[in-house]
Amino acid sequence: MTRTVFRGGTLFDAVSKSATVADIAVEDGRIAAVGTGLDGDTEVDCAGRGILPGLFDCHVHLTMSSTDLFHIAQEPFSVQFYEGALNMAKTLACGITTVRDAAGADHGMRVAQERGMIPGPRMRVSLNMLSQTGGHGDPWWPSTCVMDLLPAHPGRPPVVVDGPEQIRHKIRELVRAGADVIKVATSGGLVSSGAGPRIAHFRDDEIAMMVSEASAAGLHVMAHANADGAKAAVRNGVRSIEHGNHLDDETLAMMAERGTWLVPTLSAGLGLRRAIEGGEQYPDHVLAKIEESGGSSVARAVRAGVPIAMGTDTPLIPHGENLTELRLLVDEGLTPAQALHAATLSAAELMGLDAELGSLEPGKRADLVLVDGDPLDIDDLSGRIRTVYQDGHAVHRRA
């Protein structure tokens, strides 16, 4: 059994949110020791480089590279899975070694990654997003056309539901199909045809059923939610609020008290603005919703004690540009160390993986990211990545 020592790097300690020079010994895919003067069979010289735990993105859509419905509707059905493999590689290359796919990827993609058939981040998949009739995930458009960003297939069940009993049955279908987490839209959205993000969707008895039925299967619920839709989701026990714009003080206080995570996906707004400036076409009523959006709650959430986990909502910002989110979090008032914590240990805790991942501690899996320079310098972090490791094996090297 080979013991490899990563020598003399500046380690980001996600527990203390600080950085210090030390060695890491890796054996049999796990961190065996952290300290100075460690011995091993082989050595990786990390002088002048930072070492981060493998990073997390808690909100991605790997099978999508665009939200252009007209384009997607003309693609052969199976192209999405090859596109997903390409996006998995792009995500891994920027140091993201674990993701939570918020609709799109199916159980087979996760299995393929676990078996080493395709390179990519470790995955937790939701398959698709529960939506009420006329909600954010309903593919019906005013023309009476059905244009679905995520068309149903055997591994990705259709998810438009109304009432607790329909919800109970649908969650059981999702669990049967391999979901690791249940995704719901308790608010309207921007790029769909229906109501905007300030409008609440689903009633308390419906959301309570989602949480109850998911819990019975050992799963959590993540909620696309803003404003009053987020308040209802928190009140009924969801694990995380995705996007979370326009959250009032009462909602933030409940989140802090209950330990409900906020996954802000600030990159999504930036990506939409860039797309519009670049000439991407959206219907007028969608553009109107985008113009009225905003209202980030991050700074107030931090002050209220709400835990933050990093998520990007790729492809609204392109896959591979995930670490843009770190700078946006800092712009909202987090320190670089707090932003990195949101992308490491906090994200691992949200996903229930903190016993195995999220920090550089003995016994944990050896997911490491080697970067040039100071690991606390988040500017151009993607461009400074040298090598990405999963279980101690190099899975990406910068050319």
Side-chain angles (χ1 to χ4, degrees):
M1 188 180 303
T2 301
R3 179 180 168 106
T4 300
V5 172
F6 294 80
R7 180 81 66 197
T10 302
L11 279 56
F12 174 65
D13 180 355
V15 177
S16 65
K17 303 185 186 72
S18 63
T20 187
V21 175
D23 306 334
I24 300 177
V26 173
E27 196 170 343
D28 196 25
R30 292 189 177 266
I31 298 172
V34 178
T36 56
L38 302 181
D39 62 334
D41 304 303
T42 62
E43 184 174 302
V44 177
D45 182 7
C46 298
R49 292 181 179 159
I51 306 179
L52 294 161
L55 302 171
F56 284 66
D57 189 329
C58 297
H59 194 122
V60 301
H61 300 279
L62 289 169
T63 61
M64 300 165 58
S65 296
S66 162
T67 57
D68 184 339
L69 271 170
F70 186 70
H71 170 77
I72 291 170
Q74 297 179 83
E75 291 283 11
F77 175 77
S78 59
V79 164
Q80 63 186 298
F81 300 108
Y82 296 96
E83 198 158 18
L86 179 64
N87 291 333
M88 289 167 70
K90 290 178 180 178
T91 303
L92 192 63
C94 68
I96 305 288
T97 59
T98 306
V99 299
R100 189 176 57 164
D101 191 278
D106 68 1
H107 179 62
M109 289 176 62
R110 176 166 67 78
V111 170
Q113 187 279 331
E114 289 173 348
R115 293 181 182 175
M117 298 166 70
I118 52 175
R122 309 175 193 279
M123 299 169 65
R124 291 292 180 268
V125 298
S126 64
L127 309 183
N128 215 335
M129 178 178 66
L130 295 173
S131 171
Q132 70 176 42
T133 297
H136 184 43
D138 186 344
W140 185 92
W141 282 74
S143 63
T144 71
C145 289
V146 173
M147 296 183 69
D148 201 343
L149 283 170
L150 298 168
H153 63 80
R156 191 168 64 208
V159 282
V160 176
V161 287
D162 298 288
E165 289 310 311
Q166 283 190 16
I167 287 166
R168 184 196 302 275
H169 178 73
K170 187 58 62 177
I171 287 179
R172 291 178 181 180
E173 281 189 347
L174 290 165
V175 172
R176 179 180 66 186
D180 302 300
V181 61
I182 301 301
K183 168 85 177 291
V184 58
T186 63
S187 297
L190 295 179
V191 297
S192 56
S193 65
R198 287 180 178 269
I199 302 300
H201 287 170
F202 289 117
R203 305 288 76 79
D204 280 36
D205 60 340
E206 295 172 306
I207 302 170
M209 175 61 80
M210 295 170 198
V211 173
S212 174
E213 199 60 36
S215 297
L219 306 182
H220 294 296
V221 177
M222 58 187 294
H224 162 109
N226 302 280
D228 288 344
K231 183 177 294 185
V234 175
R235 185 167 60 237
N236 287 286
V238 304
R239 177 79 163 177
S240 65
I241 297 298
E242 314 293 308
H243 317 307
N245 293 320
H246 307 293
L247 303 182
D248 63 20
D249 290 343
E250 181 184 4
T251 302
L252 293 173
M254 283 197 300
M255 291 176 71
E257 179 184 357
R258 298 172 184 227
T260 308
W261 266 263
L262 174 63
V263 182
T265 67
L266 299 168
S267 298
L270 175 63
L272 278 171
R273 291 193 296 274
R274 285 179 179 174
I276 294 167
E277 290 166 2
E280 190 163 330
Q281 297 298 307
Y282 288 98
D284 288 344
H285 70 281
V286 170
L287 288 173
K289 288 193 291 181
I290 293 171
E291 289 174 4
E292 294 169 4
S293 67
S296 169
S297 305
V298 175
R300 292 170 48 247
V302 171
R303 290 195 296 271
V306 175
I308 306 292
M310 192 187 93
T312 59
D313 210 5
T314 54
L316 290 178
I317 196 164
H319 297 279
E321 296 185 22
N322 308 58
L323 300 192
T324 302
E325 186 76 14
L326 295 174
R327 167 47 58 190
L328 296 176
L329 288 171
V330 170
D331 290 345
E332 286 287 329
L334 278 71
T335 66
Q338 288 173 324
L340 286 169
H341 185 268
T344 53
L345 190 55
S346 183
E349 291 173 355
L350 164 59
M351 291 173 60
L353 297 174
D354 51 304
E356 294 276 293
L357 297 163
S359 58
L360 302 174
E361 297 180 86
K364 291 197 173 183
R365 301 177 78 155
D367 283 15
L368 315 173
V369 182
L370 270 60
V371 302
D372 291 333
D374 183 356
L376 292 177
D377 179 4
I378 61 167
D379 291 324
D380 191 34
L381 189 60
S382 291
R384 298 181 1 247
I385 290 174
R386 301 292 301 189
T387 314
V388 180
Y389 295 83
Q390 285 176 316
D391 288 338
H393 299 289
V395 291
H396 172 78
R397 295 184 190 275
R398 192 170 75 189

